[in-house]
Amino acid sequence: AGRRGLEIDVATIRDDRPAACDPGIVAATRAIIDEAVKKGPAVFVGRGAQCLLAERGDGLNVFCHAPMPALIQYAVRNLGISAQDAEKKVQDMNRQREQYVQRHWSRKWMSPLNYHLCIDTSWYGIDGAAEVITRAVRERLVSGRSGTDPRAQ
């Protein structure tokens, strides 16, 4: 967000660890996110933030996705692992994310109903996706033109 010219403090909670089954971890995550939101604008990545913040009208829930071949290629390039290991890692991480969201919020992680915006990072690229997201934030949140969220009805 900062690279895109938005004056937003960034708080990142990574979702690349094994799915936690301890309700205490979920409660701690909720407390950390609630505290960060009270301090001002923030960006959260993973940890079920789309579920934790679903009832708020002052947020933008974004799902970044890509086809499996693009995810494998990204993992090979950035993690320095074989294509076979990359495919297993991507599948394992996605399964953990799905299980985490299902277990704690009874929602489907990939359901577009959890998000205001779903964007294919293989088509836009990371920088292009960031531009689209930044534009959405500016138009819907910063400018105050946020409409009614039909998911809240």
Side-chain angles (χ1 to χ4, degrees), residues 110-122:
M110 294 180 74
S111 172
L113 298 175
N114 294 321
Y115 306 95
H116 300 102
L117 177 64
C118 298
I119 189 162
D120 184 340
T121 56
S122 70

Side-chain angles (χ1 to χ4, degrees), residues 91-126:
Q91 289 173 343
D92 288 349
M93 289 179 68
N94 285 345
R95 184 176 53 257
Q96 290 171 5
R97 289 174 175 139
E98 180 66 43
Q99 289 171 353
Y100 182 83
V101 170
Q102 181 65 44
R103 181 181 306 120
H104 298 293
W105 292 281
S106 300
R107 294 182 181 208
K108 297 291 183 191
W109 166 61
M110 294 180 74
S111 172
L113 298 175
N114 294 321
Y115 306 95
H116 300 102
L117 177 64
C118 298
I119 189 162
D120 184 340
T121 56
S122 70
W123 195 76
Y124 278 98
I126 299 297

Side-chain angles (χ1 to χ4, degrees), residues 59-112:
L60 178 69
N61 296 328
V62 179
F63 182 64
C64 294
H65 61 90
M68 183 60 75
L71 295 172
I72 292 169
Q73 183 181 33
Y74 182 87
V76 167
R77 187 174 60 247
N78 291 289
L79 301 177
I81 57 179
S82 71
Q84 183 177 3
D85 289 343
E87 182 174 9
K88 182 177 180 344
K89 181 154 187 77
V90 168
Q91 289 173 343
D92 288 349
M93 289 179 68
N94 285 345
R95 184 176 53 257
Q96 290 171 5
R97 289 174 175 139
E98 180 66 43
Q99 289 171 353
Y100 182 83
V101 170
Q102 181 65 44
R103 181 181 306 120
H104 298 293
W105 292 281
S106 300
R107 294 182 181 208
K108 297 291 183 191
W109 166 61
M110 294 180 74
S111 172

Side-chain angles (χ1 to χ4, degrees), residues 13 22-38 44 46-56 100 104-105 107:
I13 300 174
D22 181 1
I25 292 175
V26 176
T29 301
R30 179 182 297 276
I32 291 166
I33 288 175
D34 286 345
E35 182 179 333
V37 168
K38 287 177 188 172
F44 303 99
R47 306 310 321 153
Q50 76 278 15
C51 301
L52 285 168
L53 302 172
E55 302 302 318
R56 295 185 61 97
Y100 182 83
H104 298 293
W105 292 281
R107 294 182 181 208

